Amino acid sequence: MSMVGNLRKVARLGRRGRRVDLSHPARSPLGSAVVNCVLYRDGKRQEAVSTVEESVARVRKQRHGFVWLGLHEPSETEFARVAALFGLHPLAAEDAVQAHQRPKLEQYDDVLFAVFKTVAYVEHEQLTATSEVVTTGEIMVFAGPDFVVTVRHGRHGSLGPLREELEAVPEQLAKGPSAVLHAIADHVVDDFLTVTDAVHNDIDAVETEVFSPQGNQTADAGRIYQLKRELLELKRAVVPLARPLKTLSTRPLRAVDPEIRAYFRDVTDHLDRAIEQITGFTALLDSILEAHLAQVAVGQNEDARKFTAWAAIIAVPTMVTGMYGMRFDHMPELHWPFGYPLVLALIATACFLLHRSFKRNGWL
């Protein structure tokens, strides 16, 4: 199997089968915030060790292989021990503990610190004005010469299946921490594309409803605004990642293997596709909202015309009966036997002609 095929196979594992969340303490063999800690040599998992410190000591003593430590929402105290063990920069360590970071890439000596925003589509039977469509999380990655530390925030985006798939392709893991960094980046970007495809279905449903014959009555502007807000959250996760990926794919970095750096361009291409889709969705939702508001305005104008037409029709008998209600002694045909039925006939005729005219012009 070619190297390109292996890398793509690894990065697209997220689309195969159900993902297993390994972050639960009961599933963590080391307990606490540690999800897993594995020592790799020549791309192969080595025998389990009792502590993280022992794994790091073994790698640095033999000067071969690397340690992959996975954490889930560690506390400051828990991560302080990890930062001291691997010599992580205090600023990067602080960002790793505090969630809600923007996607970014920073270099501290020979250690790369990358922040990825993860996204997941929230299934819902029907989109409402309060439906949650997109939920986000974060994955922080420290890639050093002999270690990879991943810190995950949120209940989705588990890296357990990704680790298993990488272990099935040892020639890729043999490339070192940068191979893990690439796999995580492509895994995250593929999730972007999956979510954008699902959001597209929601937009299609809203568009169909708005442009239906009864769209101004059945469509809900609140649903469109909610979809725009959720799309904005997705955009905040996707767009800022463009600069870090460009850096990884174009600039020579000590922590990134030159052979791996070339394949970050493939990830960048996928990210560009996701950004283009989101930009198109934003413009489409703006057009749908404008069309809906225009339909509402047209409907209100039609209602106003109907009210005006009926008011004009009702004004005829009101005016005639009001005039004869003044009870003057000298009024035309006041004492004529046929005056009353003649007035009723004139009123009915005038109302009929007005109604017919308004209906012909589309006012009724």
Side-chain angles (χ1 to χ4, degrees), residues 102-163:
R102 283 174 56 86
K104 61 182 179 179
L105 178 70
E106 296 176 347
Q107 183 170 7
Y108 299 94
D109 296 329
D110 55 353
V111 177
L112 281 180
F113 174 58
V115 178
F116 301 97
K117 295 284 286 187
T118 60
V119 298
Y121 180 75
V122 181
E123 296 291 343
H124 47 270
E125 295 183 359
Q126 184 178 7
L127 180 66
T128 66
T130 58
S131 295
E132 184 180 16
V133 179
V134 177
T135 182
T136 61
E138 294 176 27
I139 296 178
M140 286 83 163
V141 183
F142 294 88
D146 53 10
F147 66 86
V148 175
V149 177
T150 56
V151 182
R152 186 166 63 88
H153 293 268
R155 301 304 302 175
H156 68 275
S158 172
L159 297 177
L162 181 63
R163 184 191 290 266

Side-chain angles (χ1 to χ4, degrees), residues 76-226:
E76 292 185 9
T77 303
E78 290 171 330
F79 197 75
R81 170 172 164 246
V82 174
L85 178 63
F86 292 100
L88 305 180
H89 195 278
L91 292 177
E94 181 181 355
D95 288 344
V97 176
Q98 302 294 331
H100 310 296
Q101 301 291 326
R102 283 174 56 86
K104 61 182 179 179
L105 178 70
E106 296 176 347
Q107 183 170 7
Y108 299 94
D109 296 329
D110 55 353
V111 177
L112 281 180
F113 174 58
V115 178
F116 301 97
K117 295 284 286 187
T118 60
V119 298
Y121 180 75
V122 181
E123 296 291 343
H124 47 270
E125 295 183 359
Q126 184 178 7
L127 180 66
T128 66
T130 58
S131 295
E132 184 180 16
V133 179
V134 177
T135 182
T136 61
E138 294 176 27
I139 296 178
M140 286 83 163
V141 183
F142 294 88
D146 53 10
F147 66 86
V148 175
V149 177
T150 56
V151 182
R152 186 166 63 88
H153 293 268
R155 301 304 302 175
H156 68 275
S158 172
L159 297 177
L162 181 63
R163 184 191 290 266
E164 293 174 2
E165 188 74 12
L166 276 168
E167 291 175 356
V169 191
E171 58 269 26
Q172 303 308 324
L173 270 178
K175 299 295 182 181
S178 59
V180 178
L181 179 62
H182 167 266
I184 293 174
D186 210 353
H187 168 79
V188 169
V189 173
D190 278 349
D191 280 347
F192 291 164
L193 295 174
T194 301
V195 172
T196 55
D197 290 341
V199 172
H200 194 183
N201 294 332
D202 284 333
I203 295 176
D204 286 342
V206 170
E207 183 180 23
T208 300
E209 184 172 358
V210 167
F211 290 100
S212 65
Q214 302 297 327
N216 62 324
Q217 299 177 7
T218 59
D220 181 12
R223 295 169 55 193
I224 304 176
Y225 276 117
Q226 177 65 11

